[in-house]
Structures are given as structure tokens and as C-alpha cells.
Amino acid sequence: MLSIRAKLSLLYLIITASVIVAFSLGLYFYLSRALLKVIDDSLFSQANRMANALVQLPLTDEVFPQSNELRLPVQFYTIIDRAGEVYDQALDAHGHPVPIISDALDRAHDQWQAQLDNGSITETEPVRIITWPVRDQDGVFFVVAGQSLKEIQQAQRQLLLLLAISTPLALILASLGGLWIADRALKPVDRITKAAERIGRGNFNERVEEPRTKDEIGRLAATFNEMIAKLNQAFQREREFTAYASHELKTPLAIIRGDIEVALRRERSTEEYRRVLSSSLEEIERLTRLTEDLLTLARTDAGERMLELAPVSLNQLAEEAHAYIKPLADSTGVQFSYELPQPPVVIEGDEKRLKQLFVNLLDNAIKYTPAGGDVRLKLASHDSSAIIEVADTGRGIPADAMPHIFERFYRHADPRDTRASGFGLGLAISKWIVDAHGGSIEVESNEGRGSRFTVKLPCARTAKD
Ligand code: ADP
């Protein structure tokens, strides 16, 4: 398998080679055509002048004795009639006459138009030939003039030689340049790979050096570092979560175990056994709640889709939550009232989870409100959102605790306040439920004066729809 560096260099080489070859071929053909055109144009104008002069001159054996006067640059020519009789002729420097192409004579006569053809004097000397038809009172004859193509051939050969030498040279330079560019471009990737290897070995504090430029590599390094920071956070949370969870599980188990061990040390009365059993039952209930909460959070972490969506009447859930929480409010001397809108607010949601949300918020409100205080649940709908408001006149949340209350295991409670027992998971779970329904949860609080939690959930439709 080729490395990216090799692939890039190879690709660069192929593209450069194609461009150079295409350019060389283009140059070669363009130059050849241009040179030939120069010769053709000169032949054409000379033959034209000769033909014009011929019409005026008597057709003697030497038509152009004064060819100097005409200043003919053509190397050699022949004046010939259709029968092949030569009237005048000039030979080239080596004594060769211009080659006569009989087919060209026919074409020139039939089309009455000058013909340009290629011929050759010797095997190595090609020649360009013009055949020009002329008519005067003596009949039809032809000016056949020629010009050697040797010089053009030489120029072409030199160009080919130049291209043959310069193309491989340019390709060698291009490959070296390609390798250098690929090397430079991929060096930072190499560094990132090495850092990733070190991080892979468990060193989550390692970071990739970020180049100052915000180019693709800079962004890759920044994204990579962000990802590692998030992974690091996630691992840390995981560790904390496990540590907290095992601690929370250990405490009630230790209490149950202690109570039972003490009870078993000697014979007890039925009353004493009953007390131990009911205290154990309380702890077991606590444990059950905790395990359920942990399970919920573990499943949300695993990304398990836990919502069973169906139209849910929030009015009905609020009433059920009220019935469930009311005894707790009564036993703690907290006033609990609720206000529901008509028609009922209906949303697309998971009934069980939404009920858990109501219970969590109300349970907290009552837990953190002293006897004589008020807890109020209000439901409303506004701009296609359902709004759940839970307000209390309790102890409120201190400003420094506010940013943390939705974190897992975060608690801010007086340890002497036995009513305010909990695991610090209620609001984390509530936030997850709200997020999973596409809603938002906000809190306002005044320390010593009370708190208000406002949940907004997207409305599906109202019951009357
Ligand atoms: P828990 O209630 O088990 O401690 P939560 O996640 O439900 O855990 O709440 C986290 C913290 O937020 C609580 O310890 C408490 O300090 C604060 N809190 C939540 N609701 C209220 C409220 N209604 N009034 C005052 N403080 C609250």
C-alpha cells in the first residue's frame, strides 16, 4: 500500500508530465504549421508575381532573364505547359530542377487555382511546391516554383531535441518539488499521529501542538485536541460516577449490615426485631431508588433510545403527581397547590418519564421548603410550548451552587436536614428527560426566598384538536 506522501507525489508527477507533454506537442505542431505557413505565403506571392509578369511577357525560351529585377527569392522554378514542354527553368544551388507533380498540374488546371504540395528533390531534402495556372494568348501553362523544407526540418529537429532534454529535466525537478511539498504538508499529520499514539497509551493530558495558522492542519489539530479534552472529561466523569455510585451504594448496605449484626448479637424482643426490619426496609427502598436512578443514567449514557412516545396529557400527569406528592407535603406542613389550564395541554412524550420529571421537581420543592412554606405547580401552554412551572418559598439555591445543580451527584444540602436526603441525581435525570423531549429547563432562585423551575416542552397538539 502506497503512503499518502508517495501517492501525492505520484499524482503530482502524472499531472505535471501530462501538462508538459501536451504543451510540448502543442508547441511542436504550432511551430511547424507556422513555419510552413511562412513558406507557403512566400511561395504564393512569388508565384503570383511571376504569373502576372508572364501574362505581359512574350513566352520565349528565357522568360525571366531579368529575374533579378523581379527579385525572386524562390530557389527554383519551371515554366511548363500541359504537354510537359519546359519554357523556362531555374535550378537550385545543387543543379536540381523543381519536381513536377503531374497530378498537381491536373488539379491546378481543373480547379484553376494554385496548388500547394510536398515533394522531394533527394531522399533527404523535402520541398514545398506551388503549381500556378496561367492563361495568355499562347495557351495554358504553369508556373511551378519550389522552396526547400530543409531549414524547417532542421528547426523542428532542434525543437524536438530541446524538448527531449528539457522534459525529463522538468519532470525530475517536478517530482522533487512534489516530494518536498507532500513532505511539508504531511509533517504536521505525522506529529498528530504520534501524539494520538501517545494518547492511545492512556496519556489523556497529552495535546497536539497547534500551528498558529488556522489552515486545514491547524483545524485538524484543534479539533483533535478538543476531542481529546472531551474524552478526558468523559473518562473523568465516568470515574467519578463509579466512585460516587459505589459510595452511595455502600452506605445503605453498611447501615443494613450494622443494624442486623447488632440485632443478632443477642435475643431481642419482637418489637426490637420489627424496628430493625423496618429500618432495613427503608434503606432497601433508598437503595432501590438509587439503583433505578443509576440505571436510567447509565442507559442514557449508552445512548439507548428510552422514550416511548405517545400523546400525553400533562394535566393528567400533573394531577397524578399531585396525588402522589400531596401526602408528603401534608406530613411536612407545606402548602401544595396547583393550577391547570383548560383545554388540557397535550404533548408527544413518554408518560413514565414525564411523570418522573413532575415528581422530581415537586419532591425537591417540598424537600427544600420548611414547614409553613408554599409549593405551587402551574401548567400552561404558550406559542406551541407546554410550560411547567414549579415554584416554592423554600431556602433557595446559593449563587455558587446554581451552575452545578444539574450535574450528577451534585448536592447542596445541610447534612443535619434529614428531610433533604437524596443522591444528587434527581435534577440530572430531570434535565435528561427534558432534553430528550427537545425542551429546556431553567431555574431562578433567591437564597432564603425560594426557587422557581420552568420547563418548556414542544407541544404536539391540544386535546380538542
Ligand atoms: P438531591 O435533591 O438528591 O440533592 P437534585 O439533583 O434533585 O439532588 O438536586 C441537586 C441540588 O439542587 C440539591 O442538593 C439542592 O441543593 C438543589 N435544589 C434542587 N431543587 C431545589 C429547590 N427546589 N430548592 C432549593 N434547592 C434545590
Side-chain angles (χ1 to χ4, degrees):
M1 198 53 195
L2 280 177
S3 69
I4 293 189
R5 184 178 282 114
K7 273 190 212 155
L8 275 179
S9 311
L10 198 67
L11 196 71
Y12 185 68
L13 186 67
I14 290 172
I15 292 173
T16 321
S18 318
V19 170
I20 291 180
V21 168
F23 173 77
S24 305
L25 286 176
L27 183 70
Y28 180 79
F29 286 114
Y30 174 78
L31 216 77
S32 305
R33 277 180 69 98
L35 288 174
L36 195 63
K37 189 163 181 311
V38 170
I39 292 210
D40 284 354
D41 286 350
S42 137
L43 273 176
F44 197 89
S45 82
Q46 297 308 322
N48 187 13
R49 279 169 64 192
M50 287 168 79
N52 284 339
L54 268 176
V55 176
Q56 287 145 30
L57 293 171
L59 203 56
T60 59
D61 276 356
E62 252 186 72
V63 185
F64 296 122
Q66 62 291 61
S67 62
N68 275 349
E69 225 172 80
L70 276 167
R71 273 190 233 104
L72 297 175
V74 283
Q75 284 186 331
F76 50 162
Y77 66 85
T78 299
I79 312 283
I80 191 170
D81 70 5
R82 278 218 84 183
E85 190 178 337
V86 174
Y87 291 91
D88 190 12
Q89 196 168 45
L91 306 176
D92 75 353
H94 305 289
H96 297 119
V98 63
I100 304 295
I101 303 168
S102 61
D103 175 55
L105 296 181
D106 293 343
R107 273 186 278 119
H109 183 260
D110 295 347
Q111 298 166 18
W112 203 255
Q113 191 174 323
Q115 303 293 319
L116 281 161
D117 294 274
N118 289 332
S120 55
I121 308 170
T122 63
E123 260 176 33
T124 53
E125 186 162 358
V127 66
R128 191 74 168 157
I129 302 159
I130 190 163
T131 309
W132 190 292
V134 186
R135 190 196 308 269
D136 71 356
Q137 66 271 18
D138 299 321
V140 170
F141 46 95
F142 303 89
V143 173
V144 182
Q147 182 135 354
S148 168
L149 293 177
K150 221 172 171 176
E151 276 166 20
I152 293 193
Q153 256 190 350
Q154 233 162 26
Q156 282 175 325
R157 247 183 251 125
Q158 272 172 2
L159 181 64
L160 268 183
L161 189 71
L162 186 75
L163 292 175
I165 295 171
S166 60
T167 304
L169 246 166
L171 287 182
I172 290 171
L173 285 177
S175 352
L176 290 177
L179 266 175
W180 182 74
I181 292 172
D183 213 48
R184 248 182 82 92
L186 292 174
K187 216 166 223 151
V189 178
D190 252 2
R191 278 207 301 274
I192 295 178
T193 314
K194 289 208 178 91
E197 276 167 11
R198 286 195 296 273
I199 292 163
R201 276 182 236 122
N203 185 3
F204 282 99
N205 291 321
E206 177 90 32
R207 291 290 176 272
V208 176
E209 184 194 325
E210 288 182 32
R212 258 168 288 144
T213 48
K214 281 288 159 230
D215 54 9
E216 287 85 345
I217 297 292
R219 287 207 303 278
L220 173 66
T223 316
F224 186 81
N225 281 343
E226 253 171 55
M227 188 188 79
I228 296 304
K230 280 193 188 139
L231 266 179
N232 198 12
Q233 265 176 11
F235 276 124
Q236 227 159 343
R237 262 218 316 267
E238 184 83 28
R239 274 198 290 270
E240 277 169 18
F241 185 77
T242 320
Y244 278 128
S246 36
H247 176 258
E248 293 291 346
L249 285 168
K250 244 168 70 187
T251 316
L253 282 175
I255 294 172
I256 297 172
R257 188 193 166 130
D259 279 357
I260 294 176
E261 273 175 359
V262 171
L264 286 179
R265 258 186 220 146
R266 59 178 171 80
E267 268 312 301
R268 307 270 171 185
S269 68
T270 321
E271 201 44 47
E272 278 172 317
Y273 282 130
R274 187 182 294 276
R275 195 191 50 75
V276 171
L277 283 179
S278 68
S279 126
S280 300
L281 190 63
E282 252 175 50
E283 289 304 326
I284 287 169
E285 274 165 5
R286 232 173 94 81
L287 266 176
T288 312
R289 272 204 315 275
L290 173 62
T291 357
E292 272 169 12
D293 283 354
L294 288 176
L295 216 65
T296 308
L297 284 173
R299 285 196 186 140
T300 62
D301 284 350
E304 204 173 305
R305 188 154 169 72
M306 293 175 63
L307 296 188
E308 284 170 23
L309 295 179
V312 186
S313 161
L314 292 185
N315 286 47
Q316 195 186 328
L317 284 190
E319 277 177 35
E320 284 173 22
H322 175 260
Y324 180 74
I325 290 286
K326 185 82 170 74
L328 177 69
D330 290 345
S331 70
T332 54
V334 173
Q335 273 284 338
F336 180 20
S337 60
Y338 67 100
E339 189 186 321
L340 305 179
Q342 278 311 323
V345 184
V346 175
I347 71 161
E348 188 84 11
D350 184 317
E351 188 178 335
K352 224 171 110 196
R353 298 289 162 203
L354 288 171
K355 187 160 172 191
Q356 194 177 0
L357 170 70
F358 275 100
V359 169
N360 282 357
L361 294 180
L362 289 171
D363 186 48
N364 275 353
I366 287 164
K367 233 166 41 176
Y368 298 112
T369 301
D374 281 327
V375 168
R376 203 162 47 84
L377 164 67
K378 194 176 157 198
L379 201 62
S381 75
H382 181 64
D383 279 351
S384 69
S385 286
I387 298 165
I388 306 164
E389 208 179 274
V390 176
D392 64 61
T393 58
R395 56 161 226 210
I397 305 166
D400 58 343
M402 283 288 258
H404 306 290
I405 57 170
F406 293 104
E407 289 170 10
R408 293 170 183 191
F409 294 110
Y410 178 81
R411 302 210 63 223
H412 182 83
D414 185 347
R416 289 160 303 177
D417 185 354
T418 48
R419 274 176 60 213
S421 68
F423 307 108
L425 292 175
L427 283 182
I429 292 177
S430 302
K431 176 144 175 42
W432 170 75
I433 295 172
V434 173
D435 287 345
H437 281 83
S440 64
I441 182 165
E442 277 167 21
V443 57
E444 295 160 59
S445 188
N446 267 330
E447 206 178 346
R449 308 248 298 273
S451 321
R452 177 198 313 238
F453 285 82
T454 312
V455 173
K456 273 192 197 158
L457 297 169
C459 249
R461 51 179 183 261
T462 53
K464 69 173 182 194
D465 289 338

